Amino acid sequence: MKINIKKLNENAIIPTYGSQFSAGADLYACEESDVVIGAGETKLIHTGLALEIPAGLVGLIYARSGLASKRGLAPANKVGVIDSDYRGEIMVALHNHGTTEQTVAVGERIAQIVFTPYVGAEFDVVDELSDTVRGEGGFGSTGRK
């Protein structure tokens, strides 16, 4: 699949895949200088890139597992959604879940983007929904083990 990409900053780094079978392409920090994120703080990190995602696909921004588990840095909104009609800069709201400040270096990998198809829905208002075995059972209703 081809994704058109525009560099909004000459220092922007084109996303890369870590291995042949990686689902997510790494996004890189494109800042003038390193960014310090205090404990419990969120900062918008620029990538310097804009994408033209084909209709029928969405770009989903996920945490990089090493960054999240080792340094406590992950997208504040857990999963960012980049719609196919968005043409602005891709930015990542990086949150520091840890207890010490963290520094994001210029050019550091900050998140990953996965492109996936989606299905749009039409919503029909009805008086009743079909019955299922689970019914209205919510959190924990299917058991613990």
Side-chain angles (χ1 to χ4, degrees):
M1 168 194 341
K2 298 279 186 185
I3 302 284
N4 291 334
I5 192 165
K6 180 178 180 181
K7 288 179 97 173
L8 304 174
N9 182 309
E10 65 183 26
N11 297 320
I13 300 170
I14 302 301
T16 60
Y17 289 95
S19 73
Q20 179 183 357
F21 298 108
S22 294
D26 292 327
L27 297 173
Y28 295 81
C30 183
E31 297 287 342
E32 295 299 316
S33 60
D34 294 351
V35 176
V36 175
I37 305 175
E41 187 176 38
T42 299
K43 290 210 177 157
L44 275 178
I45 307 296
H46 295 262
T47 68
L49 301 171
L51 303 176
E52 186 177 321
I53 300 172
L57 296 180
V58 61
L60 300 175
I61 308 291
Y62 292 103
R64 294 193 71 252
S65 58
L67 199 63
S69 63
K70 294 177 182 174
R71 294 179 49 203
L73 296 173
N77 54 342
K78 306 306 178 208
V79 178
V81 176
I82 311 299
D83 296 310
S84 63
D85 59 349
Y86 177 67
R87 294 294 184 270
E89 182 179 8
I90 304 301
M91 293 188 284
V92 177
L94 210 54
H95 182 76
N96 181 353
H97 294 274
T99 57
T100 60
E101 73 180 26
Q102 294 290 324
T103 300
V104 175
V106 173
E108 182 174 352
R109 295 176 295 172
I110 55 168
Q112 58 184 319
I113 187 167
V114 175
F115 300 100
T116 189
Y118 65 90
V119 177
E122 289 184 27
F123 299 97
D124 290 328
V125 177
V126 298
D127 292 327
E128 296 294 327
L129 300 175
S130 62
D131 289 331
T132 66
V133 172
R134 183 175 182 174
E136 294 181 18
F139 297 111
S141 67
T142 61
R144 300 181 96 189
K145 293 185 182 183

